[in-house]
Amino acid sequence: MSEFLNAELLARAQFAFTIAFHIVFPAFTIGLASYLAVLEGLWLRTGNDAYLATYRYWLKIFAVAFGMGVVSGLVMSYQFGTNWAVFSDKAGPVIGPLMGYEVLSAFFLEAGFLGIMLFGMQKVGRRLHYFATLMVAFGTLFSAFWILSVNSWMQTPAGYVINEVGQFVPADWWQVVFNPSFPYRLVHMVLAAYLTTAFVVGGVGAWHLLRHRENRPARIMFSMGLWMATIVAPVQIVAGDMHGLNTLEHQPRKVAAMEGHYETGRGVPLILFGLPNDETEEVDYALEVPNVASFILTHDWQGEVKGLKEWPREDRPPVAIVFWAFRVMVGVGFLMATLGLWALYARMRGRLYDSPLLKRVAVVLAPSGFIAVLAGWVVTEVGRQPYTVYGMLRTSDSLSPIAAPAVATSLAIFAIVYFVVFGLGTLYMLKLMAHRPEVTERGPEEGKPMRAAGTTPVAAFEEPEHPEGDSHDD
Amino acid sequence: MMIDLPLVWAFLIAAAILIYVVLDGFDLGIGILFPFLNNPEDRDTAVNTVAPVWDGNETWLILGGGGLFATFPLAYAILMPALYVPILAMLFGLIFRGVAFEFRWRDEKHKPYWDFGFTAGSMVAAFCQGIALGAFIQGVDVDGRAYAGGWWDWLTPFSLLTGIALVVGYTLLGATWLVMKTEGSLGERAVRYARITVVGILIFIAIISAATLSLDPSFMERWMAWPAVLYSAPVPLAVGIVTFWLWRCLGEKMDFKPFIAAILLFILCFIGLGISLFPHMVPPAITIWEAAAPDDSLWFLLVGTAILLPVILGYTAYAYWIFRGKIQAGEGYH
């Protein structure tokens, strides 16, 4: 029995590890693809070469991040079967087709147009090239649409019946795809991806402005990144609140864990910090604000909030992880919004580019989106426990019949390979970001395929713009 | 509507796998041939022949895995645990292959390491795919709706044999691809590698066919019984004819023919496999109809596939058409 428990924990650790590595790449590329579309659109409208330079600067980084997203994503498409066989058998008829649509509508679209986007500007002309950029951006959003639909169905299953062999089978596809938590999760995640990218872009701009005050592409990055922080970060707080209320409706246990509430009550205090203790079912050293939790969750100072004691222990998620990850996400989110307000204030006084402190803080907060995204995913996925299909299929009943040593071995190899491979890839992206943007910025190096040009033929025709090797810029 | 949806999907999944095997087969074959290309310029040329297409080729593997999950979840749920070690090893190989592909151009100082990663990744991926195939043919233990064996059950002399055979087969695809895409000394050497591997693959086809027939008496029945012999007998005959044609073409000027012949060999072997295993989705216990998702799921995905798959096939074919012709040494695609 204890060995089986180990196998379960190992399989969960392996899934968490591989998906945590995977998610940072799409979170970044979803935002970056849209940002590139905006930059190219601005360039086409204004003819300002600084926009084109900024486009080309981020295009190189996009190519590397996208490649790593593809490779780490390939692993995910097999891991459902290798480690979660019972889940795959039972949930496959419902979520499998959604993933099939992700491959057919998103992955092939991206692969098809990425080549034109990377190499084809000279060959296909501006309009078709812009079309390709838009298609890649749509591809990343389609991908987000389908995979978040899958994830949301696992959180709030709908539109299914259970057949005679215990499989979930579709009854109403509309209800399956647009299950209750999906619209909220989709908005929250896409905004998160946009913010993640905006802070990286703004931080990189700030980094270069600290050294070269007048650098035009760096000013564009800094200004656009901070506009996003000013506008989208507050919107995200509202969207997050709505997502939270949706969760309260459909997964009250998760919200109780996020808030650290064990007792059901009225006029419940908001616990700012504390140490949730599942043994004593109390939050030790809690720092509380009276009645605020009731107000946030029910919009009534005396509203009733359900505590975890309403459910048997074996049906509750682990509280401490969810509780802390939630605070990290919210804390980072408010930091991001604060920077946005500060930038707005500086901008209204006409001094956006003047404060070194603002730039330094923007540099420090550059990776904040990744932290918030990872923390948010820990909240929602650990908060789903102990189920894979919420309330319907337990995690312990979802597992493949694989011995613990097999999973331990694969987990160890995943850890080594991922740290080496994606560590080097990240290092390479940082090197690209350390390179100062110039208005004469070129596209990806000619003669040196940054990655495959997908299945796109146009790359073949592009003449080298310049002699071999003169654009080696790392 | 009396369409046999599980059967339609079985053919679609089989087609996706075949397309993957042929397409990624030749670029994995390039990776396997890498240690034999000592001249750095030859290596760069060989990589440039596949640089624009290898990534699209690999997308078919995602489609294969995702498609199986969607349409035959029971088969997916049984086969993946049964093939745990070879599947994960294949993924690790593909990670190194894919990353090395990009990094070897980026980091001149460490190019030999990335080249090693490129070769090792390609070999591991090919070998593991072959092992998975062998383990699949010999059958897996099933209890109810779950895999019932251990995590080393896949390791048998037969699966090792199919593993090596697929490495040789992919090398043949890679070599004939180079015959088509390159010229000069590299092209001539590719002809030599193709000759060696075509002999190798013929031997492996013979051994594996004999071994397969002896695995299970029902395989023998399926091939030899009347009237099955009417459609089974032409397969080995065609293998002989195609191999002869391939050998003859290697000396000729029409240099795309060997590659076509190598693809035909793969298709024939795939048909042979189909004759042995049909109608099983998980040999020997589970059939296509037992493993299939309910018709609602199959319909839902079939509608989109009917629209999107022709589009995907269209631009894939267009890409290969655009990239036709020889690659000169030192000439990049980009």
Side-chain angles (χ1 to χ4, degrees):
Chain A
M1 191 63 212
S2 76
E3 200 212 349
F4 201 72
L5 186 71
N6 282 338
E8 181 191 339
L9 277 177
L10 286 164
R12 281 176 62 189
Q14 178 168 308
F15 202 90
F17 179 81
T18 50
I19 204 158
F21 259 88
H22 173 64
I23 196 173
V24 295
F25 299 117
F28 183 46
T29 51
I30 289 167
L32 201 49
S34 294
Y35 181 55
L36 288 168
V38 170
L39 282 173
E40 192 173 10
L42 284 171
W43 171 63
L44 288 174
R45 267 188 57 179
T46 64
N48 182 347
D49 282 344
Y51 286 122
L52 180 64
T54 313
Y55 175 87
R56 288 183 164 164
Y57 184 90
W58 286 103
L59 185 60
K60 284 182 253 186
I61 293 159
F62 178 75
V64 178
F66 190 87
M68 291 195 285
V70 170
V71 187
S72 56
L74 176 65
V75 172
M76 300 318 303
S77 75
Y78 281 85
Q79 209 173 145
F80 285 100
T82 53
N83 292 83
W84 301 98
V86 179
F87 168 79
S88 299
D89 175 32
K90 290 186 189 289
V94 172
I95 64 171
L98 308 187
M99 289 172 148
Y101 270 107
E102 186 187 14
V103 180
L104 291 168
S105 70
F107 294 164
F108 277 108
L109 191 70
E110 291 164 337
F113 286 97
L114 188 67
I116 301 180
M117 190 182 173
L118 288 181
F119 305 106
M121 180 81 86
Q122 306 294 324
K123 206 58 219 170
V124 297
R126 293 177 177 190
R127 285 183 163 212
L128 193 54
H129 188 268
Y130 185 48
F131 179 74
T133 304
L134 287 175
M135 285 303 108
V136 173
F138 282 133
T140 62
L141 291 172
F142 289 164
S143 175
F145 177 93
W146 290 111
I147 201 65
L148 286 173
S149 177
V150 169
N151 181 274
S152 298
W153 188 85
M154 291 166 64
Q155 304 275 358
T156 52
Y160 66 91
V161 291
I162 293 178
N163 72 3
E164 67 280 7
V165 291
Q167 287 177 308
F168 298 90
V169 298
D172 180 340
W173 280 109
W174 184 266
Q175 284 183 31
V176 168
V177 175
F178 293 96
N179 59 76
S181 65
F182 172 56
Y184 299 93
R185 196 182 314 278
L186 179 66
V187 169
H188 196 45
M189 182 63 210
V190 171
L191 289 180
Y194 281 3
L195 273 177
T196 299
T197 307
F199 272 75
V200 173
V201 169
V204 169
W207 169 268
H208 291 295
L209 285 180
L210 283 168
R211 281 153 195 77
H212 308 277
R213 279 182 55 103
E214 303 303 324
N215 187 298
R216 281 164 62 209
R219 282 188 167 219
I220 290 173
M221 296 172 199
F222 186 63
S223 173
M224 290 177 83
L226 289 180
W227 266 127
M228 289 291 283
T230 302
I231 299 164
V232 179
V235 173
Q236 177 70 318
I237 290 172
V238 174
D241 180 54
M242 291 169 70
H243 188 24
L245 293 177
N246 178 264
T247 308
L248 180 67
E249 187 183 338
H250 296 280
Q251 299 174 300
R253 274 169 275 184
K254 186 193 284 185
V255 172
M258 285 155 64
E259 300 289 351
H261 293 148
Y262 287 97
E263 302 287 347
T264 299
R266 293 190 165 275
V268 175
L270 177 70
I271 302 173
L272 291 176
F273 291 103
L275 300 177
N277 186 334
D278 278 344
E279 295 300 313
T280 60
E281 302 188 311
E282 281 171 1
V283 178
D284 301 334
Y285 312 107
L287 178 64
E288 299 177 340
V289 188
N291 294 57
V292 172
S294 278
F295 184 73
I296 293 174
L297 294 171
T298 64
H299 293 193
D300 169 5
W301 294 104
Q302 294 301 327
E304 189 190 71
V305 176
K306 282 209 163 69
L308 285 161
K309 285 185 180 176
E310 296 280 327
W311 295 276
R313 278 177 184 254
E314 66 271 19
D315 294 347
R316 300 179 200 166
V319 178
I321 298 173
V322 178
F323 179 86
W324 277 106
F326 181 62
R327 270 142 197 79
V328 170
M329 177 188 73
V330 171
V332 172
F334 276 99
L335 273 180
M336 294 166 102
T338 306
L339 181 70
L341 289 177
W342 180 7
L344 181 66
Y345 175 70
R347 200 189 296 268
M348 288 192 331
R349 292 176 60 216
R351 301 174 65 85
L352 181 66
Y353 301 105
D354 294 343
S355 163
L357 187 61
L358 180 63
K359 291 172 198 161
R360 289 208 187 95
V361 172
V363 171
V364 170
L365 286 183
S368 58
F370 296 110
I371 296 165
V373 163
L374 285 173
W377 277 97
V378 169
V379 172
T380 203
E381 304 307 322
V382 178
R384 191 194 62 228
Q385 300 300 331
Y387 302 99
T388 47
V389 180
Y390 195 70
M392 301 302 297
L393 181 62
R394 282 178 181 275
T395 308
S396 54
D397 296 332
S398 304
L399 213 57
S400 289
I402 299 272
V407 188
T409 309
S410 60
L411 176 58
I413 298 173
F414 268 119
I416 295 165
V417 169
Y418 274 32
F419 275 115
V420 170
V421 168
F422 299 130
L424 284 168
T426 305
L427 194 70
Y428 182 62
M429 284 199 291
L430 288 174
K431 272 176 157 184
L432 282 173
M433 291 179 197
H435 172 69
R436 192 187 346 151
E438 302 289 354
V439 176
T440 55
E441 196 68 36
R442 294 187 188 283
E445 292 174 44
E446 323 297 335
K448 297 188 172 189
M450 167 166 283
R451 67 186 299 283
T455 49
T456 305
V458 186
F461 280 138
E462 185 162 358
E463 295 297 320
E465 282 175 40
H466 50 85
E468 184 86 20
D470 79 350
S471 69
H472 200 71
D473 50 76
D474 56 328
Chain B
M1 286 298 238
M2 289 308 290
I3 297 177
D4 189 343
L5 284 169
L7 196 61
V8 169
W9 270 109
F11 276 104
L12 280 173
I13 298 285
I17 292 171
L18 180 62
I19 291 172
Y20 168 75
V21 164
V22 168
L23 293 184
D24 215 25
F26 73 75
D27 55 50
L28 288 170
I30 303 279
I32 297 163
L33 278 170
F34 235 51
F36 302 100
L37 311 175
N38 300 320
N39 180 351
E41 200 175 62
D42 283 353
R43 290 186 168 192
D44 291 352
T45 306
V47 168
N48 275 337
T49 65
V50 293
V53 291
W54 76 271
D55 184 45
N57 295 345
E58 206 169 284
T59 309
W60 292 92
L61 185 63
I62 306 180
L63 188 63
L68 193 68
F69 181 31
T71 56
F72 298 96
L74 181 60
Y76 179 79
I78 292 169
L79 288 173
M80 293 299 143
L83 304 172
Y84 190 79
V85 176
I87 291 279
L88 287 180
M90 171 194 80
L91 293 173
F92 290 128
L94 289 175
I95 289 173
F96 273 102
R97 194 274 296 243
V99 177
F101 218 114
E102 299 173 19
F103 286 14
R104 72 182 295 275
W105 299 99
R106 295 265 143 213
D107 193 355
E108 288 286 338
K109 271 181 288 181
H110 297 103
K111 205 167 180 178
Y113 292 96
W114 299 124
D115 282 2
F116 175 77
F118 187 57
T119 296
S122 301
M123 287 189 99
V124 168
F127 185 54
C128 290
Q129 285 171 12
I131 285 178
L133 174 68
F136 173 72
I137 296 170
Q138 71 196 9
V140 300
D141 279 346
V142 176
D143 180 18
R145 297 178 72 81
Y147 175 58
W151 62 294
W152 289 99
D153 282 16
W154 51 272
L155 184 62
T156 62
F158 181 74
S159 69
L160 290 177
L161 192 68
T162 53
I164 299 166
L166 200 65
V167 172
V168 175
Y170 281 176
T171 315
L172 172 67
L173 280 172
T176 53
W177 170 262
L178 284 180
V179 170
M180 178 168 73
K181 302 296 286 187
T182 65
E183 51 195 8
S185 68
L186 180 56
E188 283 161 24
R189 291 171 70 185
V191 170
R192 207 163 68 236
Y193 300 140
R195 283 199 195 282
I196 295 167
T197 45
V198 80
V199 172
I201 201 63
L202 204 60
I203 295 168
F204 275 110
I205 289 174
I207 297 173
I208 289 172
S209 301
T212 306
L213 291 179
S214 64
L215 272 180
D216 185 336
S218 74
F219 287 158
M220 186 73 92
E221 250 167 59
R222 228 165 275 159
W223 279 86
M224 303 301 179
W226 186 264
V229 74
L230 281 180
Y231 60 79
S232 64
V235 176
L237 201 66
V239 168
I241 294 169
V242 169
T243 311
F244 179 71
W245 184 53
L246 203 169
W247 187 268
R248 287 266 315 265
C249 296
L250 277 172
E252 285 179 18
K253 282 225 176 310
M254 295 293 282
D255 43 24
F256 65 91
K257 284 186 188 168
F259 184 61
I260 302 289
I263 291 175
L264 284 176
L265 271 185
F266 267 84
I267 294 174
L268 286 170
C269 292
F270 206 72
I271 292 171
L273 200 63
I275 292 173
S276 296
L277 298 179
F278 187 85
H280 293 289
M281 204 67 199
V282 181
I286 297 187
T287 66
I288 289 169
W289 299 276
E290 287 163 345
D295 278 6
D296 281 339
S297 303
L298 300 181
W299 264 124
F300 181 67
L301 193 57
L302 189 63
V303 172
T305 306
I307 298 164
L308 294 168
L309 198 61
V311 178
I312 293 163
L313 285 171
Y315 62 64
T316 304
Y318 179 62
Y320 279 87
W321 175 248
I322 293 294
F323 283 119
R324 70 193 185 280
K326 300 280 189 189
I327 309 303
Q328 311 295 328
E331 174 200 358
Y333 270 120
H334 305 275

